[in-house]
């Protein structure tokens, strides 16, 4: 079994001629053409060819990084808000116990 990787323009816009998989001197199990439209290589996974340019994946990574950064800021703001509210709750509690108006007496003794 073998696959043909067609010729392509790499990221530097240089024409790379097509080749057959597996390549001479390469891994005999690498019988599939893998990679992107501008970076192709032989591999052993039939589902590893992506029909877009390699730089597209870089933009996906930047988008994921921006999304994770926004999520981290929101989480940080939530934690700070919880800490401030806890501090305000603790600091605004009355310092002394409320007077219930009842006096405590020891059991068994009567007052005259």
């Amino acid at each position: 079994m073998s696959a043909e990787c067609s010729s392509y323009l790499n990221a530097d816009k240089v024409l790379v001629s097509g080749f057959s998989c597996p390549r001479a001197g390469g891994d005999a199990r690498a019988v599939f053409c893998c990679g992107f439209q501008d970076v192709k290589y032989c591999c052993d996974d039939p589902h590893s060819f992506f029909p877009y340019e390699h730089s597209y994946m870089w933009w996906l990574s930047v988008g994921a990084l921006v999304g994770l950064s926004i999520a981290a800021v929101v989480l940080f703001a939530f934690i700070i808000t919880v800490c401030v509210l806890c501090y305000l709750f603790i600091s605004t509690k009355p310092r002394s116990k409320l007077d219930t108006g009842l006096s405590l007496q020891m059991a068994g003794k009567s007052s005259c």
Side-chain angles (χ1 to χ4, degrees):
M1 176 180 217
S2 66
E4 292 290 324
C5 286
S6 60
S7 59
Y8 61 94
L9 289 175
N10 66 10
D12 298 328
K13 304 301 180 204
V14 175
L15 181 65
V16 177
S17 59
F19 53 90
S20 294
C21 296
R23 295 185 99 165
D27 187 2
R29 294 174 296 169
V31 294
F32 299 102
C33 185
C34 300
F36 300 90
Q37 286 181 346
D38 57 349
V39 178
K40 294 181 181 179
Y41 55 91
C42 296
C43 72
D44 60 354
D45 183 8
H47 305 291
S48 292
F49 182 76
F50 305 101
Y52 38 81
E53 293 182 357
H54 184 258
S55 60
Y56 176 73
M57 294 301 287
W58 189 82
W59 282 108
L60 286 178
S61 297
V62 170
L65 184 62
V66 168
L68 287 174
S69 298
I70 291 171
V73 168
V74 169
L75 180 64
F76 184 69
F78 175 76
I79 290 171
I80 294 297
T81 303
V82 168
C83 290
V84 167
L85 290 175
C86 286
Y87 172 76
L88 290 174
F89 177 75
I90 292 171
S91 67
T92 57
K93 285 176 64 174
R95 299 278 181 221
S96 61
K97 292 186 176 184
L98 294 175
D99 184 18
T100 60
L102 301 173
S103 60
L104 298 177
Q105 298 178 359
M106 290 185 63
K109 290 189 176 183
S110 61
S111 58
C112 294

